[in-house]
Amino acid sequence: MLYRFREAQSIELGLSKPKERRPHLASLANTLDEAEKWRRDVIREISRNVSKINDASLPEAHIRDLNDDINKLLRAKNHWEDRVLQLGGPDYKKIGPKMIDHQGKQVPGNRGYKYFGRAKELPGVRELFETQSNATTKSKRNNRAELIKHADAVYFGYSDEADDGELLEYERQVTEQRMLKLRSAHDATLSDGSSSNESDDSENES
């Protein structure tokens, strides 16, 4: 209260300007600079609330209110980003940082509503996330079990040789060719040795 009194007094004395209120509708912004300014204003407010919602001393009701406010501000941010794009600015939904969005956790079927900070640990909310996690784990196990159930010897490669004689035939041909080469090389070696012996005998006789 004292802060507000001093702020009002400062405005009356002309020492400061009254704080400009953010338009309720993004469509009321007529220039790109204005739309960019209010988008940044929304992001700053989201960041402050995300920091507050992690405070361990906050009561449960305050946490719920803060989480609702953050979700409302996220929707407002989307509206301002749409307006920025309409006025010829960048598409922040494609190039903008997603850090704040990633801090929130969504329960399927909640139409995009996210839980931040300690709101994830609220009674009822924690159980929803646990149920979701268990369902995901069970689904993965069922999928794996179903795959293994339908996998047979062919899938694991155990019956390749039995069902496909081409591989065995190819291996047999390669083996035969190698054996023929080895025999030819061996015969050539013996032939060379015999020729050398005959030449030595002829020289000795003369």
Side-chain angles (χ1 to χ4, degrees):
M1 292 295 292
L2 180 61
Y3 169 77
R4 291 180 181 177
F5 172 75
R6 288 179 176 174
E7 185 181 18
Q9 191 178 41
S10 177
I11 293 172
E12 288 178 4
L13 295 173
L15 299 175
S16 63
K17 294 181 180 180
K19 186 178 179 181
E20 193 177 1
R21 288 183 176 273
R22 185 171 64 237
H24 181 64
L25 297 175
S27 57
L28 296 176
N30 296 318
T31 66
L32 178 59
D33 288 343
E34 188 181 3
E36 291 269 20
K37 179 182 74 173
W38 294 124
R39 174 185 173 273
R40 290 192 298 269
D41 185 69
V42 171
I43 290 175
R44 281 193 295 268
E45 193 170 346
I46 292 172
S47 297
R48 286 195 296 268
N49 286 349
V50 169
S51 297
K52 288 179 184 177
I53 205 169
N54 287 294
D55 188 347
S57 64
L58 288 178
E60 182 180 315
H62 196 171
I63 293 172
R64 292 186 185 277
D65 290 341
L66 269 176
N67 201 73
D68 287 342
D69 288 343
I70 293 171
N71 277 273
K72 290 175 184 176
L73 288 166
L74 285 173
R75 289 194 294 271
K77 181 173 78 74
N78 289 334
H79 292 321
W80 283 110
E81 288 176 348
D82 289 339
R83 187 56 177 163
V84 167
L85 187 61
Q86 291 169 3
L87 293 170
D91 188 352
Y92 285 111
K93 290 183 179 178
K94 289 184 178 179
I95 65 173
K98 305 293 183 182
M99 185 179 68
I100 293 175
D101 290 355
H102 291 165
Q103 289 180 20
K105 196 171 182 181
Q106 182 177 334
V107 177
N110 263 16
R111 297 182 180 180
Y113 189 91
K114 295 183 177 182
Y115 294 90
F116 293 82
R118 291 188 57 213
K120 302 173 191 175
E121 303 169 4
L122 290 171
V125 178
R126 182 172 57 248
E127 287 76 11
L128 284 174
F129 287 129
E130 289 175 355
T131 301
Q132 177 190 358
S133 177
N134 292 337
T136 302
T137 303
K138 185 177 180 181
S139 176
K140 289 180 179 179
R141 288 175 180 171
N142 289 342
N143 289 339
R144 187 170 182 273
E146 193 69 17
L147 287 172
I148 293 175
K149 178 181 177 182
H150 292 289
D152 53 15
V154 175
Y155 175 82
F156 291 105
Y158 294 144
S159 62
D160 287 348
E161 294 183 359
D163 294 338
D164 192 356
E166 293 182 4
L167 178 59
L168 291 175
E169 178 63 21
Y170 174 75
E171 289 179 348
R172 186 186 65 77
Q173 292 177 4
V174 171
T175 302
E176 287 182 357
Q177 291 174 3
R178 288 179 178 174
M179 292 296 295
L180 287 173
K181 287 182 180 179
L182 289 172
R183 287 172 183 168
S184 298
H186 181 67
D187 292 343
T189 301
L190 292 176
S191 176
D192 291 343
S194 298
S195 299
S196 177
N197 291 335
E198 290 176 0
S199 177
D200 293 341
D201 294 340
S202 297
E203 290 177 358
N204 291 334
E205 289 175 358
S206 61

